[in-house]
Amino acid sequence: MNIKYRQLQAFVLAARSGSFAKAAAELCVTQPSFSVQIRQLEDDIGIHLFERTTRTCRLTAAGQSFYREVAPILKELRDVYGRITDVGAGVAGQLQLSALPSLAFGLLTEVLGQFRSRYPGVRVLMREELNVAVIDAVKRGDVELGVGSELNGDPEVEFKPLFRDHLVVVAPKDHAFFDGPVTWQKLDSYPLITLAQGSSDRAMRQNRPNLVPAIEVAYMGTAVSMVRNGLGVTILPSSGLKGVNMVDLHAEALPGRACKRTIGVLFRKRATLSPLAMAFVQLLEQIAPVDRGIRQRRTERS
């Protein structure tokens, strides 16, 4: 079978208009060229589709049956073509990404707000995961983009840095912890609220392995709420502060090992990013802070 879309389009136009001349004009071809396409279609399927006079054409019984079958198929094909064209142009489709919870909670909420205003027809599927899971999701192709910290030496993943993230101690503005230099040793003197997993847990093991948290929680919002209610101080990544209410609270960067990390975009090497993914990365590059929150709070405190 050697049927072509152009032949089917010509057939449907002729069936609707009842005239080869009108159909040829609508298809923007000469009438002899149009007649050749119809004849080739009839030769391919082995059936006469039209009864022709000098001025008009009329469908045969077989032609009527063929038209009923073909017309809706061509419409669906045009609709599919339009939808995939919209996807290619970045105005429809879906974007799948995986991100650290601290980034999903703060920075990415702002980025997604602007992304959705520009691409309202796009569906976004975002998974919140620890960094190892973010990288694995990118490697498996489960998501197109990951937003997390760099994992050195992985040959399958490309990393595009965006900004530096710091671990910070969060406490009420007038808390005694902020009298003098910020150190890990000072945390021994106050009830500590930590996240059960993540960057603060790793840094604590390297800088103060004997430090025992008073409370462990799963979410940053919970930790900040407990700080606000006088249950202790907490350690959070600076990037997550965008998503929490910091009124009457203050944050200072912690020194030491594993207290800084580079945050960026991860994607498979040699992969061609979709227009939607590229647009999302561009927004990230425009919005991503460079220790902006920490510098702002230091200025407020001074």
Side-chain angles (χ1 to χ4, degrees), residues 244-279:
V244 297
N245 179 7
M246 290 293 292
V247 174
D248 297 326
L249 300 180
H250 181 65
E252 287 279 356
L254 270 167
R257 296 184 296 274
C259 290
K260 298 179 182 179
R261 59 182 178 174
T262 301
I263 298 295
V265 181
L266 301 118
F267 50 91
R268 282 180 295 164
K269 285 187 177 177
R270 295 176 295 277
T272 301
L273 293 181
S274 67
L276 290 174
M278 289 189 290

Side-chain angles (χ1 to χ4, degrees), residues 143-154:
V143 297
E144 189 171 9
L145 294 176
V147 188
S149 60
E150 185 174 14
L151 183 64
N152 294 328
D154 195 310

Side-chain angles (χ1 to χ4, degrees), residues 7 13 18 25-26 36 53 55 65 78 118 141-142 173-174 176 184 208 291:
Q7 295 171 350
L13 289 174
E26 191 169 348
V36 169
T53 67
R55 292 182 177 274
S65 177
R78 286 193 297 271
R118 297 185 187 186
D142 295 343
K173 281 186 175 180
D174 298 327
W184 282 93
R208 204 67 175 168
D291 300 340

